[in-house]
Amino acid sequence: MSQKLRPEILQNRARILLSCPDRPGIVAETASFLYRQGANIVALDQYTTDPAGGLLFMRVEFDLPDLPAQKKALEAGFAEVARRLDMQWEIRYAADRKRIAVFVSTADHALLELLYQWKTGELAGDIVLVISNHETLRPAVEPFGLPYFYIPVTPETKPEAEARQIALLTEYRVDLLVLARYMQILSPEFVRRYPNRIINIHHSFLPAFVGARPYERAYARGVKLIGATAHYVTEELDEGPIIEQDVERVTHRADVATLKKIGRNIERIVLARAVQWHLEDRILTYQNKTIVFY
Amino acid sequence: MSQKLRPEILQNRARILLSCPDRPGIVAETASFLYRQGANIVALDQYTTDPAGGLLFMRVEFDLPDLPAQKKALEAGFAEVARRLDMQWEIRYAADRKRIAVFVSTADHALLELLYQWKTGELAGDIVLVISNHETLRPAVEPFGLPYFYIPVTPETKPEAEARQIALLTEYRVDLLVLARYMQILSPEFVRRYPNRIINIHHSFLPAFVGARPYERAYARGVKLIGATAHYVTEELDEGPIIEQDVERVTHRADVATLKKIGRNIERIVLARAVQWHLEDRILTYQNKTIVFY
Amino acid sequence: MSQKLRPEILQNRARILLSCPDRPGIVAETASFLYRQGANIVALDQYTTDPAGGLLFMRVEFDLPDLPAQKKALEAGFAEVARRLDMQWEIRYAADRKRIAVFVSTADHALLELLYQWKTGELAGDIVLVISNHETLRPAVEPFGLPYFYIPVTPETKPEAEARQIALLTEYRVDLLVLARYMQILSPEFVRRYPNRIINIHHSFLPAFVGARPYERAYARGVKLIGATAHYVTEELDEGPIIEQDVERVTHRADVATLKKIGRNIERIVLARAVQWHLEDRILTYQNKTIVFY
Amino acid sequence: MSQKLRPEILQNRARILLSCPDRPGIVAETASFLYRQGANIVALDQYTTDPAGGLLFMRVEFDLPDLPAQKKALEAGFAEVARRLDMQWEIRYAADRKRIAVFVSTADHALLELLYQWKTGELAGDIVLVISNHETLRPAVEPFGLPYFYIPVTPETKPEAEARQIALLTEYRVDLLVLARYMQILSPEFVRRYPNRIINIHHSFLPAFVGARPYERAYARGVKLIGATAHYVTEELDEGPIIEQDVERVTHRADVATLKKIGRNIERIVLARAVQWHLEDRILTYQNKTIVFY
């Protein structure tokens, strides 16, 4: 789970994320490679889809003294290992805090939770940009010293709006987009630019109540639990890999406004968990699902 | 919540369930009527869909000394009140323990939980009959002294099978049908005979994964919580009023077999809760939803 | 559950809270009285400790047209009923929003949640005063237009500090004190002034880890769930009637800082639930426990 | 999570459990060793108490073709590695299913759950013996073909009773003792014989309500959640390392009998989880806490 890392630790901390055809020797090779580099493994998690020959997913977190100077050697060296073992891989550096753009509309609760966690230093990344199709939340954002861009969206103006958004995302070198109750649907073209880099909070327990007005529909269905789901956005609405979900109990006494009030706390906390796991490089995806090493 | 009632209490215990257009005076009339009858209210729950003029639902549980001899007067008297206030109503007598038929296929866990609660005296009704489309569970049932009827069902033989089932339900004077992982779909004609008298446990968190193979589909979707739902059966599969639901957390490490194992405990406990509430006359239905006064 | 009430409804909305020796006729008398006054019951909840002759607790919420003008008659009239039936009783008027003083130290999360719910109009009362033994949270509070009083407390200065606090509470006509992670222990004399009017959030699942440093102790004990408890403050530390509790799952991977982070969300949401129920007059106490009619 | 293993897989499946001073190279050495032995790692979990030099705990599950013939070499070889790295270690063979003795008194629910999971083949061990201080559950046990020993216990006869128990445990070569609502307290001498080999289910959410009558005390305290805790038994009552806990929500309406009924399901499921994790060698202990690699 998340531990705030001091800067001197952070700069020598990195993670290898890899997947490859499972076969004997992968842990040995990876761990031995790291050992020879002078690294100390602080966490290792793996998951194999089938011990008899499926896919192996691994996350190794390690400390390497003087890491900044060692990066080239580390990457060149591991590229060798990866080649031999047919790996897809990435090395992520904990000191390279991800830059986050938060998209909002008018609901503030999910955004406020992220701002709060960022302000306390707990969020393992940095919010650098807020984009909204409304002016409503500007007063909530600007006191944090963050740029707030109001980009309205209508069906006719969507391509231009998205072009503006993409330009800002590029300008601000954004690594992660967080849709914090952003009520516009991103076009497939937009989504394709950021595979597994857009996290949305959907205000229902997916796959129940995909799409619009989930609380109204939950109320109509008479469910006894409501929930929220954080997921990576794909081209199909609310169909992307689920990262985290949670629920809360309700009774017949809860009207739609009450469901929304209860749901608010689930939404913000589920989104914050998912975002933090992403920032800590704990999430791998496979067959439209996530493997979360927390 | 459920309290086992001793026989001498049980025989004087009854419940009025009513719904009517909400207006001032309904509680006063109902409570005053009961007082004049010599009854003592032990529980009163009500819910109004709209204080400004919606529907009122009420459950009043009371003790009336010498109730068996008072039934006629009670019912005739309340019929008067009900007429004046335009009520739909029923009086249920706690001593008239509901007779339950359990429908099973091959999974035993939900059935075993009901049998266990019945055997301990906690179940507020009596299992009188078990019907199955397999022979598998006969050895689990007959030691309880219960009749077990094997009635296989194929698409072609379904009408005859259901006719046999209905004949048995009539012969055994069954009040409540519990589908305890019974894997056949009841025909609309069958269902229509028992409105709000068939409780099914569906092994998913409705409305997610309606229909067949919910665990396989939950696995494919990569949900992080799985659940089970007890509901009244209506003519539309898995669409009836939800009585109770619960969930359990899962990770990527859970394969389908594991989901089924975890789900088993949720299914049996959710079904048992729903059945007990029904037996205690705690459930009212409205707009395909339930109002549960627990 | 909580529904935001429009002002014109609010002014005619009231609640009778009563307890008395249980006997037949209490609901009838109370409901009939209200009917004769011209009131419409919108909610009625009751609980009897023993149907065979215990204590009855009841909450009746009703709308009475032109209530402001009817108060005297209502109270005089019900006093009669109460006398006859040996009731302890109170009438609370929904329009008389309770005035809340929040006590804080340095942790802001619980306070921020209350301020948020107040700002959205969901909180059924008004925060009028914030008192703290630190200056830390002044910047978080004053933008809300609230008075913030810094009153440091040491063992030697506690009597004077409390005297100042009491003076403020009196000046601001405070109805409810909320200790939102306020880290000072109130003296028995202070507590006695506000029976069932001080709600504290204790950062553990009571009765586990009473007193100081509960997260450190939870960590040492290796519990697999951590929680928070909202309760009325009595003269014995953390021993007062529990209003609400909730938990969250943790593993060995959670260090103390992580437990505190996870606990933060439980604390703020549990405290907010308890405060709202109190504001809506949903809590009765009995034998150091609460009866919550939600 | 638990996956039922087919016999041909089981016989080649083993786990190394180890702890040692954390330093670079431990994963590399362990994984390389296994690779050289011809093993394929199917699961690896580790936890370090402090990356800067604490204790490392690891569980490695692997398949080694022809394992039965390889055991000697495997153990001799790893003993070498362990010596160099100052490890405490054990190799556990999945085919060596642990032999379980269940101790019961009169409550059957926890026992029945274990028997059920054993009968379905899900339990990763074998129940071989049931010991009770009452005759009550003999009829529930003997149909499973299990030996049931009635050994009454009084304060005066406890030493002889325990001696008989120990003799049976030795005769039946019991690896794990499960106290399934066994209501006698084991003596320190008894407990010392089976360090981390006695799992008890305590019917409260520890550390709340240690000792006797936890439900009565939970009722008196007015908690809003009740729970159960599975833990290793140590010489101090209810103080041993917690393996698993879970809770369920209750209201004022739940009397003690209801709390017990609700608690029953939590007890049996929490105990079953803990037992299964132990059988799968997923639990390590450290500072009176457990590290569970599930």
Side-chain angles (χ1 to χ4, degrees), chain A residues 218-238:
Chain A
Y219 178 76
R221 185 63 185 91
V223 290
K224 300 300 181 180
L225 295 168
I226 56 163
T229 304
H231 64 99
Y232 286 121
V233 173
T234 58
E235 298 179 30
E236 284 192 76
L237 182 66
D238 297 332

Side-chain angles (χ1 to χ4, degrees), chain A residues 1-3 43-45 107-109 112-113 116-117 119-120 122-123 246 248-251 253-255 257-258 260-262 264-265 268-269 272-273 276 294, chain C residues 1-3 43-45 107-109 112-113 116-117 119-120 122-123 246 248-251 253-255 257-258 260-262 264-265 268-269 272-273 276 294:
Chain A
M1 300 218 172
S2 15
Q3 287 157 299
L44 193 152
D45 294 273
D108 61 357
H109 53 283
L112 290 179
E113 183 64 22
Y116 182 90
Q117 293 200 13
K119 178 196 74 170
T120 60
E122 279 167 343
L123 201 67
D246 214 335
E248 199 68 50
R249 195 164 275 283
V250 295
T251 71
R253 297 193 181 284
D255 60 351
T258 302
K260 290 180 174 180
K261 177 183 179 184
I262 293 172
R264 228 173 42 204
N265 184 56
R268 71 182 168 179
I269 211 66
R273 285 180 203 155
Q276 184 76 338
Y294 47 71
Chain C
M1 301 218 171
S2 15
Q3 288 157 298
L44 193 152
D45 294 273
D108 60 358
H109 54 283
L112 291 179
E113 183 64 23
Y116 182 91
Q117 293 200 12
K119 177 196 73 171
T120 60
E122 281 166 343
L123 200 68
D246 214 334
E248 198 68 51
R249 196 163 273 283
V250 295
T251 71
R253 298 192 181 283
D255 60 352
T258 303
K260 290 180 174 181
K261 177 183 179 184
I262 294 172
R264 228 172 43 203
N265 184 55
R268 70 182 168 179
I269 212 66
R273 284 180 205 154
Q276 183 76 340
Y294 45 72

Side-chain angles (χ1 to χ4, degrees), chain B residues 108 113 116 122 264 268, chain D residues 108 113 116 122 264 268:
Chain B
D108 61 357
E113 183 65 22
Y116 182 91
E122 281 167 342
R264 228 173 41 203
R268 69 181 170 181
Chain D
D108 61 356
E113 183 65 20
Y116 182 91
E122 280 168 341
R264 227 172 43 203
R268 69 182 168 181

